[in-house]
Amino acid sequence: MYHPRLKGSHHEMGLHYGELLRKGGQDFSSVLQLSQEQRDFGIACLSVCETVVPELCQEIKGLAEGLMVSYEDLSVWLLTMYGHGDVHGCTCFCYTDSGSTYLARNSDMFPELKDTCESILYRPDNGCIFLGHSTSFVQMEDGMNEHGLAVGINFLMSKTYQPGLNTGMIVRYVLENCRSVSDAVDRIGRLPIATTQNIILADRSGDMAVVESSPQMIVVRRAQSGKPWLVSANHFVSMAMQAEHANPEANWYRSCDRYDTVQAALASPESNKDAVWAKMLLSGKMGFICQYDKEMNFDTLWSALYDVRALKIYCAEGNPSKVRFNEDTRLTWGISKRRK
């Protein structure tokens, strides 16, 4: 995993990261060769993003300058991710127990991407300090900001697309701009959405939600009375979203199996569901969640656990059944630097 620490204006952060990648010998010429259909859609998305999130487009522009590649080519590649043939797995859950609130996520994808994933600390001039993880640049797939708002996504196959923000851009926007679950749910509902996904959220007050969303429709799931938890995987749970936007394949990458494992664990009467307990669940010690067969060419690339009230982050850089969790203190470090 890359572990950059970026600060300053969005253009400065993008430029610095681009220069680091170029000096490290990274070559993106092959991935920037896109089909005309993908290019046309990406340019349409870029037009929307330059209006809705101009600061993130400035970061892409700086990144392109640092990499010495075309801004348009890089933008099209980034903004058409999480669709057009991309495949992500992922299992997410959040819960409260004994006065603590946790959000957890296993990020599953093709193992050849393991070495190019990033765990990145952002300290923008204008916006929340946050730490996030991603298989992309600029865009985030899970993370937590200085206000204790944690976010994670589950990819779904989109039946249709419309120009707008893809799932990685939505999560990045939320981490940088929102302070609570209610704020995030409200803002997501007003964004032009390009792709289909679940977005799970938890904050320091113990509030939680899963936003099931597509370009045409949004349904917000909340925890049920007496069941202070939520689970999301690579399928919709709400009947309305299932009817209109279900994945084409049932139990896609064992999504339903993973979902059932977590639901059963959270519903168990076992007491003291603390961070150690959550790590055990993420690691597959309570049922199938990350134990993919090698023949699938699919694996958990990282596992993240966010203790939102304590602002603590734990990450296993690899499959958590094989790699230990370590605490990442960069978020609290970044917050302390701004206070000085």
Side-chain angles (χ1 to χ4, degrees), residues 292-306:
Y292 295 102
D293 294 333
K294 289 185 178 181
E295 293 74 19
M296 290 184 71
N297 190 38
F298 209 66
D299 201 4
T300 300
L301 303 188
W302 74 81
S303 185
L305 175 63
Y306 301 96

Side-chain angles (χ1 to χ4, degrees), residues 227 229 262-270 273 277:
K227 299 179 179 179
W229 69 79
V262 179
Q263 279 283 12
L266 288 166
S268 70
E270 182 179 354
K273 293 184 174 72
W277 182 91

Side-chain angles (χ1 to χ4, degrees), residues 73-125:
D73 288 349
L74 185 63
S75 299
V76 166
W77 176 53
L78 291 173
L79 298 178
T80 55
M81 286 183 173
Y82 311 103
H84 292 85
D86 285 345
V87 175
H88 292 248
C90 311
T91 312
C92 302
F93 59 92
C94 55
Y95 67 100
T96 61
D97 187 82
S98 303
S100 297
T101 301
Y102 302 95
L103 186 145
R105 179 173 183 267
N106 277 354
S107 181
D108 306 340
M109 206 182 174
F110 304 124
E112 54 265 29
L113 295 176
K114 178 181 177 181
D115 292 338
T116 57
C117 297
E118 62 179 22
S119 175
I120 185 166
L121 174 69
Y122 272 100
R123 293 191 288 152
D125 285 344

Side-chain angles (χ1 to χ4, degrees), residues 76-205:
V76 166
W77 176 53
L78 291 173
L79 298 178
T80 55
M81 286 183 173
Y82 311 103
H84 292 85
D86 285 345
V87 175
H88 292 248
C90 311
T91 312
C92 302
F93 59 92
C94 55
Y95 67 100
T96 61
D97 187 82
S98 303
S100 297
T101 301
Y102 302 95
L103 186 145
R105 179 173 183 267
N106 277 354
S107 181
D108 306 340
M109 206 182 174
F110 304 124
E112 54 265 29
L113 295 176
K114 178 181 177 181
D115 292 338
T116 57
C117 297
E118 62 179 22
S119 175
I120 185 166
L121 174 69
Y122 272 100
R123 293 191 288 152
D125 285 344
N126 298 299
C128 303
I129 297 171
F130 67 91
L131 188 144
H133 305 98
S134 184
T135 56
S136 174
F137 306 117
V138 181
Q139 308 168 115
M140 292 287 110
E141 293 162 20
D142 61 65
M144 182 168 69
N145 68 22
E146 61 182 300
H147 302 290
L149 176 64
V151 191
I153 61 103
N154 308 99
F155 172 90
L156 278 82
M157 293 296 291
S158 295
K159 292 185 177 180
T160 59
Y161 301 89
Q162 71 178 20
L165 278 65
N166 65 25
T167 185
M169 291 292 277
I170 295 170
V171 172
R172 169 64 192 273
Y173 173 84
V174 166
L175 285 168
E176 193 165 309
N177 292 281
C178 301
R179 296 187 173 209
S180 67
V181 169
S182 60
D183 183 19
V185 168
D186 178 65
R187 290 186 187 231
I188 292 170
R190 292 186 277 116
L191 290 174
I193 296 175
T195 50
T196 303
Q197 57 274 313
N198 291 316
I199 302 173
I200 192 167
L201 304 144
D203 66 25
R204 298 181 86 169
S205 75

